Amino acid sequence: MMMATDQAVQAVPPSLSAKVVGSFAYLTVRDRLPTILTKVIDTIHRNKNKFFEEYGEEGLEAEKAAIGLLSKLRNELQTDKTVLPLSDGLKDTDSWNLYLQRHQVLQGEPDSVSWFKSPWLYVECYMYRRIHEALWLNPPMIDFDVFNELKTQSFFESQQAVMGLCTYLQGLYSNMEVLSETQLMEQFYKLLQVSLWGNKCDLSISAGQENSQKASPIESLSKLQPFILVDDSNKVWSALISAKRPGESSKSTPGRVDIVLDNAGFELVTDLILADFLLSAGLVREVHFHGKSIPWFVSDVTASDFQWTIRQTMAANHKWMSKRGVQWQSYVREGVWSYHDHPFWTQPHEFCDMAADAPDLYTTLQGADLILFKGDLNYRKLTGDRDWDHAVAFETSLRGFGPAPLCSLRTLKANVQVGLQPGQGEKLSSQDPDWMTSGKYAVIQFYSPHREQ
């Protein structure tokens, strides 16, 4: 197995890590991750009766055993124990254990791969994978999503904002025929920003605290505009327009957009609205959504979240909201929308490792004309979650990753940010010390590899 760490080590900054006391990585591993684990344990315990009703004594035993494993995990984390191999025998177990061995070789001794001494991206991903292991080892609980209640709550608490978006879309579609290309472009920019700011509703960053969208998203855009530090919307639009390949007829054939999803709840709705607009405006032919195969980072989208959200939108007691839900269901049925997951998305690898470690996924993404990467975790993996200088080019931080033209839509919630103007990061640091982690700022960053024509 190849790791990007092997290549040009000198030129690449170190991984962000909890070994830097006082850093955001350190505070996350010390405070936020144990809080999330405590909430997971509490959720399982509160569902004790449900497990008993469904599985009898076996359900109670499973609840007790899973809590035991998770309490042990929390203790390992808090006392900076060595990272342990996985033992659940799932299809990604070997890959995870190889990754651990790799780090042991890199760090020189097995004991040095511990919670506070290893890359933050690695140990945070590892925690969520161990939560999955604790459930998997107790069969009645295999399909229990410990984060489901929080995701459901986030969706329902954002209903007003969702209704507002669906009503806005309805108004837009009634005039779609008369929109000039410039007006279409302006609407695209708006809905791209709605999808961008939808990323503020992230439950892993608030450690599961209520974090829903209540304000009208469209009305908030102009107030939020100054907080977009890099805005490559025009490049994203150009990539979409140039994806229209001349077809047999005089009309050109639109291309395919892939959206690598982040959070369920309100953010997912903003992604579906953007995808709906792209199709309705004839800007794309199909949209592929990529989500997680297991519950991940509290609020990340799984296949059941994706299907559930469409069903809930269909069932809404609001004319335009239910109309969109019906339309989304038919997009899925017709195959113009499709949902995909792959074990690589729930592994700790930087994306520059994808071509070597998940060549099938890399090849799949090469079929897209544009890839939108949503959210903070995807940004951390795009840039390797390393201590880059803020003025380093986005392309440099990708380290060769470029299956297709790509764009990161991200509100800043971790201390990695590249592609800024010289001095911009320093100025922000003096004005607002938490600018990289508060979710207040955002970027729309684009990169296009040179593809053969």
Side-chain angles (χ1 to χ4, degrees):
M1 173 172 129
M2 179 73 167
M3 275 179 71
T5 326
D6 300 337
Q7 304 150 17
V9 173
Q10 271 59 41
V12 178
S15 301
L16 298 174
S17 168
K19 66 182 165 202
V20 181
V21 176
S23 67
F24 189 67
Y26 172 81
L27 296 172
T28 298
V29 176
R30 189 192 70 181
D31 302 333
R32 192 151 48 91
L33 299 189
T35 301
I36 289 168
L37 275 174
T38 300
K39 292 195 173 191
V40 168
I41 290 167
D42 180 56
T43 300
I44 292 172
H45 187 64
R46 278 189 294 103
N47 282 274
K48 191 175 183 173
N49 291 343
K50 176 184 174 227
F51 300 134
F52 181 67
E53 282 162 23
E54 288 183 27
Y55 309 108
E57 285 300 323
E58 191 191 359
L60 289 183
E61 289 302 315
E63 178 255 357
K64 207 184 302 177
I67 286 177
L69 290 173
L70 292 167
S71 301
K72 178 176 173 289
L73 173 63
R74 183 175 56 190
N75 179 261
E76 288 168 23
L77 188 167
Q78 291 178 308
T79 55
D80 194 23
K81 291 284 188 293
T82 305
V83 171
L84 303 173
L86 295 171
S87 62
D88 52 17
L90 293 171
K91 63 181 176 183
D92 65 343
T93 304
D94 287 348
S95 168
W96 272 94
N97 291 343
L98 271 172
Y99 199 87
L100 170 58
Q101 287 167 22
R102 194 79 184 153
H103 273 283
Q104 288 167 340
V105 170
L106 278 172
Q107 296 194 24
E109 52 187 283
D111 289 352
S112 63
V113 184
S114 71
W115 288 87
F116 282 81
K117 297 188 196 80
S118 303
W120 167 32
L121 178 65
Y122 172 39
V123 295
E124 191 167 12
C125 289
Y126 173 77
M127 181 190 85
Y128 287 98
R129 182 59 181 78
R130 283 279 300 274
I131 292 171
H132 186 64
E133 178 182 59
L135 299 177
W136 184 264
L137 293 174
N138 294 287
M141 300 181 69
I142 284 170
D143 294 325
F144 182 66
D145 181 347
V146 290
F147 305 123
N148 185 58
E149 292 171 14
L150 294 165
K151 291 186 275 195
T152 304
Q153 187 183 349
S154 160
F155 176 84
F156 286 123
E157 284 170 352
S158 305
Q159 289 298 279
Q160 289 303 118
V162 173
M163 288 173 194
L165 280 176
C166 293
T167 305
Y168 180 81
L169 216 53
Q170 184 62 30
L172 188 57
Y173 290 172
S174 59
N175 296 313
M176 193 75 103
E177 303 301 310
V178 297
L179 292 184
S180 67
E181 182 162 306
T182 303
Q183 289 171 316
L184 205 59
M185 177 181 77
E186 284 164 1
Q187 293 301 332
F188 169 70
Y189 288 171
K190 270 189 185 176
L191 293 173
L192 192 69
Q193 286 181 31
V194 167
S195 173
L196 167 71
W197 291 113
N199 182 241
K200 280 170 86 88
C201 303
D202 181 331
L203 293 167
S204 76
I205 209 75
S206 61
Q209 295 298 319
E210 185 267 331
N211 197 6
S212 58
Q213 173 76 26
K214 296 190 173 72
S216 162
I218 297 285
E219 286 165 26
S220 310
L221 292 180
S222 58
K223 288 202 299 283
L224 293 168
Q225 184 73 45
F227 298 100
I228 301 177
L229 302 177
V230 179
D231 187 353
D232 289 338
S233 300
N234 56 341
K235 295 178 184 172
V236 183
W237 175 256
S238 299
L240 267 179
I241 295 303
S242 64
K244 289 185 142 195
R245 305 187 195 90
E248 296 301 309
S249 65
S250 57
K251 284 195 172 170
S252 57
T253 312
R256 177 185 122 197
V257 167
D258 285 31
I259 304 179
V260 184
L261 299 166
D262 190 24
N263 300 304
F266 179 71
E267 182 176 358
L268 175 58
V269 175
T270 65
D271 301 335
L272 299 178
I273 292 228
L274 176 62
D276 190 337
F277 171 77
L278 291 173
L279 273 169
S280 302
L283 293 165
V284 302
R285 179 184 72 251
E286 58 181 312
V287 181
H288 289 200
F289 297 93
H290 300 270
K292 308 297 194 296
S293 49
I294 60 174
W296 197 247
F297 276 65
V298 185
S299 42
D300 284 22
V301 180
T302 64
S304 61
D305 297 325
F306 185 80
Q307 292 148 4
W308 180 89
T309 302
I310 293 176
R311 285 199 307 274
Q312 289 299 325
T313 308
M314 281 174 74
N317 189 17
H318 181 273
K319 188 177 181 183
W320 304 131
M321 189 171 160
S322 61
K323 183 176 181 179
R324 296 296 9 115
V326 169
Q327 182 62 66
W328 299 346
Q329 188 76 299
S330 73
Y331 285 152
V332 172
R333 211 173 33 245
E334 291 159 18
V336 288
W337 276 12
S338 52
Y339 177 91
H340 309 263
D341 50 34
H342 189 285
F344 187 82
W345 301 123
T346 49
Q347 288 177 344
H349 305 64
E350 303 170 47
F351 287 163
C352 58
D353 292 336
M354 188 192 290
D357 287 338
D360 56 331
L361 178 59
Y362 197 82
T363 303
T364 298
L365 294 179
Q366 285 178 313
D369 294 289
L370 172 68
I371 311 167
L372 299 176
F373 284 94
K374 292 298 310 285
D376 205 65
L377 179 60
N378 280 321
Y379 193 83
R380 289 170 63 191
K381 290 184 167 190
L382 283 164
T383 61
D385 206 38
R386 293 173 176 277
D387 191 16
W388 293 104
D389 186 281
H390 301 313
V392 160
F394 182 43
E395 175 183 352
T396 304
S397 72
L398 296 173
R399 296 165 71 210
F401 178 73
L406 61 90
C407 172
S408 170
L409 296 175
R410 175 240 184 172
T411 59
L412 280 61
K413 300 170 196 157
N415 46 353
V416 56
Q417 180 57 55
V418 297
L420 301 185
Q421 297 302 314
Q424 190 182 4
E426 290 70 16
K427 189 179 172 193
L428 281 160
S429 296
S430 64
Q431 291 171 345
D432 184 351
D434 296 331
W435 68 277
M436 275 194 284
T437 56
S438 62
K440 178 178 166 183
Y441 294 91
V443 292
I444 300 172
Q445 279 183 302
F446 178 81
Y447 164 68
S448 182
H450 301 294
R451 298 221 253 182
E452 296 301 314
Q453 293 304 309

